[in-house]
Amino acid sequence: MATNLLPTGHPSHDSRQVLTALEDGRARTLALVGNLSDEQLERVYSPIMSPLVWDLGHIAAYEDLWLAHRQAGLELLRGDLAELYDAFETPRAVRGQIDALGPAAAREYLRAVRARSVELISDARAGDANICEMVVRHELQHSETMRQTLAIAGLLSSADQARADEPLGGLDGWPDWLQIPAGEFEMGSPRAGFAYDNERPRHAVELAAFAIARRPVSSRSWMQFSEAGGYERPEWWSQEGWAWKQEQRISQHPAIAASNPQAPACHVSWYEAEAFATAHEARLPSEAEWERAATLPATAGGTGGPPGRARALEAVGRVWEWTRSSFGGYPGFVAHPYREYSEVFFGDRYRVLRGGSWATDARVANPRFRNWDLPQRRQIFAGLRLARAA
Ligand code: AVJ
Ligand code: FE
């Protein structure tokens, strides 16, 4: 690789960009926890979320594993912590009880790993652009996970809260539904450039005509659904969704009730999203439909997009949008390089979310990016956008 030929101590243009990106990501992570007490960092706010201090140690361990160990072939800085901070060895449910690093030690671990990473990247001993990008994005993804925890704890900053509450707005006079004609499109990320393994290979997908809502569902619409008996009418629910709702004794959505009615509905589970869609004689889009619609220019045939807008869909990136699809590999999928990133989640348990939320860094979210979670989960910043047959 060309970067290996550079003399040490003279970072290439690419490595300088990686260093800047790592630094920016770190500034974000540290800003998130800057005002929290040690008690808040160590507290378990929900059995499905890690204590925030675990995320800090995990971010450091992941960076050390991929930059120093896997790329540069060095021993882990703290081999003794590898298991504690491995997401599989130590699942979320037990992260509150383990003897992991305390807040000060976790910060020091982050700092020590980073000092070594900077050296290795500067010396081109960790010069694989894709692996470096994966490490950058890993930390950014965890800043969203940490915000989910902060939201549960009622600790989101007022700036974050304001982003979540921003009204959807919308363009008066343009149809609420986009008509997407039947046709073939290329799904997935191209060969070149960074992409997660689950976005490849790019492949042709043939779609029937469909309609998709121009905007995500608002909190106000969700309240209307709720007031119209949304949580009381089994005919709108799948059997599985109804059973979940009964067992959890869910009869309303307090977080949406407390939110700005004009903001996109957020923190809905897939089961609820599906019921909402059925109640509106609609359905969730498949992820192929979502990707096609999200990558169409506003001027594409039949979409009725207003002039001067790049894309046909509005408000992509405000809340994750549930799709009807379960999470699987595209035809010809190859796990690379981080097998535990996606492959272990393939199957019919997880549903795909698309688009990104207000808490997702722009470097992570793009119209090909696939997120996933279990259908009962409400901690994600997730809402929905309706679709239906054309
Ligand atoms: C892509 C958001 C589902 O949080 O499980 C973080 C991202 N993977 N560390 C997750 C991830 C490993 C992942 N999601
Ligand atoms: Fe992680």
Side-chain angles (χ1 to χ4, degrees):
M1 188 181 279
T3 47
N4 288 336
L5 302 173
L6 288 173
T8 57
H10 296 273
S12 69
H13 175 66
D14 284 355
S15 66
R16 262 195 303 269
Q17 281 192 339
V18 169
L19 290 171
T20 307
L22 283 169
E23 212 175 290
D24 287 354
R26 181 55 46 83
R28 277 159 211 252
T29 305
L30 295 179
L32 267 185
V33 297
N35 293 320
L36 301 179
S37 67
D38 285 4
E39 193 272 324
Q40 288 170 323
L41 285 169
E42 298 201 88
R43 185 142 149 204
V44 177
Y45 288 100
S46 155
I48 62 161
M49 302 306 286
S50 323
L52 293 158
V53 71
W54 187 90
D55 288 88
L56 298 181
H58 168 77
I59 289 167
Y62 185 93
E63 178 173 321
D64 201 36
L65 174 68
W66 284 95
L67 297 185
H69 184 63
R70 297 263 165 95
Q71 275 202 80
L74 304 180
E75 294 277 340
L76 293 174
L77 207 56
R78 293 289 305 269
D80 57 317
L81 298 176
E83 204 174 301
L84 281 184
Y85 290 121
D86 182 288
F88 287 90
E89 304 290 344
T90 308
R92 287 185 182 185
V94 304
R95 289 175 195 168
Q97 294 123 45
I98 57 169
D99 207 12
L101 300 177
R107 283 193 170 90
E108 172 54 25
Y109 183 33
L110 278 167
R111 195 205 53 74
V113 167
R114 179 55 56 87
R116 190 157 77 148
S117 307
V118 168
E119 223 178 280
L120 294 172
I121 291 168
S122 303
D123 292 355
R125 282 186 285 160
D128 184 310
N130 286 322
I131 304 245
C132 289
E133 184 64 25
M134 193 177 82
V135 171
V136 167
R137 293 192 196 197
H138 182 255
E139 182 158 357
L140 295 173
Q141 287 201 41
H142 273 273
S143 75
E144 177 156 0
T145 313
M146 292 168 77
R147 281 190 164 89
Q148 292 166 6
T149 309
L150 291 168
I152 289 170
L155 290 171
L156 278 183
S157 72
S158 49
D160 280 353
Q161 198 55 61
R163 286 160 77 201
D165 282 340
E166 224 177 281
L168 273 170
L171 297 158
D172 284 344
W174 294 96
D176 290 338
W177 290 89
L178 303 173
Q179 302 296 328
I180 313 288
E184 196 180 86
F185 88 111
E186 293 293 315
M187 185 170 184
S189 294
R191 244 170 216 285
F194 178 87
Y196 287 101
D197 56 6
N198 65 50
E199 299 163 31
R200 290 188 173 125
R202 178 169 273 199
H203 57 290
V205 173
E206 180 77 37
L207 289 175
F210 66 101
I212 188 164
R214 191 187 290 280
R215 284 179 283 279
V217 168
S218 67
S219 287
R220 172 180 289 126
S221 302
W222 195 275
M223 292 312 290
Q224 286 165 354
F225 161 71
S226 188
E227 281 150 21
Y231 289 93
E232 285 138 41
R233 296 175 59 164
E235 70 271 24
W236 286 342
W237 294 72
S238 66
Q239 245 180 38
E240 221 182 286
W242 186 258
W244 165 79
K245 183 187 79 64
Q246 295 298 90
E247 194 194 300
Q248 299 295 314
R249 301 171 189 276
I250 289 169
S251 58
Q252 54 176 323
H253 200 305
I256 294 181
S259 72
N260 178 2
Q262 295 175 64
C266 189
H267 293 300
V268 308
S269 65
W270 187 87
Y271 290 135
E272 289 169 286
E274 190 193 35
F276 181 99
T278 306
H280 290 79
E281 291 174 341
R283 56 176 176 73
L284 298 175
S286 69
E287 59 168 327
E289 288 171 338
W290 192 95
E291 185 170 318
R292 178 157 193 234
T295 52
L296 275 179
T299 50
T303 61
R309 291 183 67 87
R311 297 283 162 221
L313 295 186
E314 280 178 26
V316 170
R318 290 295 312 279
V319 287
W320 287 103
E321 300 176 23
W322 286 111
T323 71
R324 62 189 294 99
S325 307
S326 46
F327 188 45
Y330 291 161
F333 168 82
V334 180
H336 181 79
Y338 168 27
R339 186 169 288 274
E340 297 80 25
Y341 180 76
S342 19
E343 195 180 28
V344 293
F345 300 98
F346 288 169
D348 51 20
R349 293 177 62 221
Y350 289 85
R351 304 293 187 283
V352 174
L353 301 115
R354 292 299 199 108
S357 80
W358 61 267
T360 317
D361 193 275
R363 198 169 181 119
V364 172
N366 67 62
R368 314 275 179 191
F369 181 80
R370 308 171 76 199
N371 194 5
W372 63 92
D373 213 328
L374 297 169
Q376 69 270 28
R377 291 292 193 237
R378 278 174 137 187
Q379 88 287 2
I380 323 174
F381 302 111
L384 72 154
R385 179 188 302 268
L386 298 178
R388 63 187 187 205

